[in-house]
Amino acid sequence: MMYTCYIIYNMGDNMNNSKKKYIGIREISKIAGVSTATVSRVINSPETTSEAIRKKVMAVIEEYNYVPNQMAKNLFSMTSNSIAIFVYDMENPFFISLIKALNNIAFDNQYTLLICDTENNLDKEREYLKYCQSIRCSGIILTEGVKYDLFSHTQNQTIAILDRFTNKNISSVRSDNHKGMKLLVDYLYNLNHRKIAFAGAMNEFQSATERKNSYMEAMQCHNLEVRDDYIFSGGFNYETGVNALNYYLSMVDKPTAVICANDQIASGLIMKAYKLNISVPNDISVAGFDGIASSYFYPKITTIQQNISKIAQTLFDLVTSKPSEPKQSIIDVSLVVGESCKKIDLK
């Protein structure tokens, strides 16, 4: 199985013997004429050794470019300065932005971030979990995905979850989907839209379910009809947006605006509209969710901005601080007004 991470080996590139690729503590102790315990103390707690011994051992270490065997050190200590993030869709720009933010935080705190591309596959998640346990990974972040009992009884790893159905015994982080959908429905209502559809309904995913339910609640707050035929099911991808537009165009009573469960769906819908010479927003208004659409995308999508930096920091804190009690964090969101929605005349 291939894991999405980089492994650094202890290479002795400057050794005279070209066949010798590795140098360990035993070789260092023989060359320096000291015990392996002394070499270990020089590396891990130099203050417990004399200056003469430190210089002697460090001279050998520098000559042979010794790098400590981190894997062996992890096995000995039962933990490591590494955390893993399980991602189900590496093509989703939201996850790319999250990984980038997490990696910067991990680097600044001397942690290594392992990226596990699971594709929401139970077998892959099981194998990645085994790998994380084998290297004594200290924490695992689970992103969007179907609920499994796989992580209910993990040992030595702290689990934190982003947008995934789970019990309250595991710490979780999510954006305020309820507020985000209310902001979008309110905004479109103030633009005189009354026929507002929703694209991207998925009962399997927590964020999609929350956004659909919140859309329905916000519509009801304005005494607007929640039509089943205005709710289009599909994944968090461009194809869902393409299919959604085709579906809405086939209707006799078409919606005037579509709220998409994420920006990828909105982008797919807008690109399909462009191919069909349908104007967004003149012919139909479109809104997204995530705030990760490219600033070069035209028209700029009206969307809900998730606070990715705060989400990343909260997740990192949860898996590294190991809270005594599970915590459930809801991160605030904000409305970003773009160019994909237009005010219409009330009929």
Side-chain angles (χ1 to χ4, degrees):
M1 179 177 182
M2 183 177 292
Y3 298 96
T4 310
C5 61
Y6 294 97
I7 302 174
I8 301 176
Y9 295 98
N10 304 325
M11 303 296 292
D13 293 332
N14 291 343
M15 296 187 68
N16 294 327
N17 185 355
S18 60
K19 294 183 179 180
K20 181 68 175 179
K21 293 184 178 180
Y22 305 97
I23 183 170
I25 289 180
R26 290 184 180 180
E27 288 84 355
I28 293 174
S29 68
K30 288 180 181 179
I31 297 170
V34 297
S35 68
T36 55
T38 298
V39 176
S40 179
R41 285 196 297 271
V42 169
I43 294 172
N44 298 304
S45 52
E47 70 281 356
T48 64
T49 61
S50 67
E51 183 178 356
I53 290 295
R54 287 198 300 272
K55 286 183 177 180
K56 191 175 184 180
V57 173
M58 290 305 299
V60 176
I61 288 175
E62 291 174 3
E63 180 180 355
Y64 292 99
N65 290 333
Y66 169 74
V67 178
N69 188 329
Q70 189 62 44
M71 184 81 73
K73 187 176 180 181
N74 295 348
L75 293 174
F76 178 78
S77 65
M78 299 303 292
T79 187
S80 70
N81 274 16
S82 63
I83 59 175
I85 179 169
F86 286 30
V87 181
Y88 92 97
D89 183 7
M90 290 295 293
E91 294 182 354
N92 190 326
F94 171 79
F95 291 123
I96 299 302
S97 298
L98 177 64
I99 289 169
K100 183 177 180 180
L102 261 174
N103 190 57
N104 287 334
I105 296 170
F107 184 85
D108 290 342
N109 288 273
Q110 298 182 323
Y111 273 79
T112 299
L113 178 66
L114 307 178
I115 304 167
C116 303
D117 184 13
T118 68
E119 298 181 319
N120 197 35
N121 182 292
L122 176 58
D123 292 332
K124 283 191 174 184
E125 291 201 346
R126 183 182 291 110
E127 290 302 315
Y128 276 123
L129 176 59
K130 289 179 182 178
Y131 177 73
C132 290
Q133 291 173 330
S134 73
I135 66 169
R136 304 304 190 262
C137 188
S138 64
I140 298 174
I141 296 169
L142 304 176
T143 63
E144 191 81 76
V146 176
K147 179 182 177 181
Y148 300 128
D149 293 330
L150 180 63
F151 305 92
S152 300
H153 306 290
T154 56
Q155 296 179 348
N156 300 320
Q157 283 85 33
T158 301
I159 306 293
I161 288 178
L162 173 67
D163 289 335
R164 183 185 289 215
F165 289 116
T166 184
N167 56 53
K168 293 186 178 181
N169 294 325
I170 301 178
S171 295
S172 66
V173 179
R174 59 187 175 88
S175 290
D176 194 339
N177 293 306
H178 184 272
K179 176 181 177 180
M181 277 296 150
K182 187 177 187 309
L183 287 172
L184 287 177
V185 172
D186 289 352
Y187 177 72
L188 290 170
Y189 185 87
N190 290 332
L191 294 179
N192 295 333
H193 290 278
R194 301 296 183 261
K195 298 178 181 180
I196 305 172
F198 179 86
M202 286 185 291
N203 293 329
E204 302 88 359
F205 286 2
Q206 177 174 298
S207 61
T209 300
E210 285 188 350
R211 290 171 193 177
K212 182 193 75 173
N213 291 341
S214 299
Y215 149 81
M216 296 169 67
E217 291 177 15
M219 292 283 285
Q220 291 168 352
C221 286
H222 290 289
N223 295 317
L224 297 178
E225 180 184 4
V226 179
R227 294 175 48 168
D228 291 339
D229 59 345
Y230 273 12
I231 298 177
F232 186 83
S233 299
F236 281 166
N237 50 50
Y238 299 107
E239 184 179 4
T240 296
V242 171
N243 294 335
L245 181 64
N246 288 332
Y247 168 73
Y248 292 131
L249 291 178
S250 70
M251 302 179 70
V252 175
D253 190 13
K254 300 175 179 59
T256 61
V258 180
I259 294 177
C260 299
N262 77 345
D263 286 348
Q264 277 185 295
I265 298 173
S267 298
L269 195 155
I270 292 172
M271 288 188 291
K272 180 61 176 180
Y274 176 78
K275 290 183 179 180
L276 297 176
N277 292 319
I278 295 171
S279 173
V280 175
N282 292 325
D283 297 323
I284 187 170
S285 291
V286 180
F289 201 112
D290 279 347
I292 46 79
S294 170
S295 58
Y296 297 104
F297 188 88
Y298 182 82
K300 181 180 177 181
I301 298 174
T302 292
T303 186
I304 293 299
Q305 179 77 56
Q306 295 197 71
N307 191 336
I308 293 178
S309 60
K310 189 169 183 179
I311 290 173
Q313 186 65 61
T314 305
L315 287 168
F316 180 82
D317 292 342
L318 286 173
V319 295
T320 56
S321 63
K322 305 182 186 300
S324 56
E325 295 292 334
K327 296 182 178 179
Q328 280 72 47
S329 301
I330 299 177
I331 309 300
D332 196 18
V333 297
S334 59
L335 175 66
V336 176
V337 176
E339 302 162 335
S340 61
C341 298
K342 178 183 178 181
K343 191 168 187 175
I344 63 175
D345 295 330
L346 277 174
K347 296 181 180 179

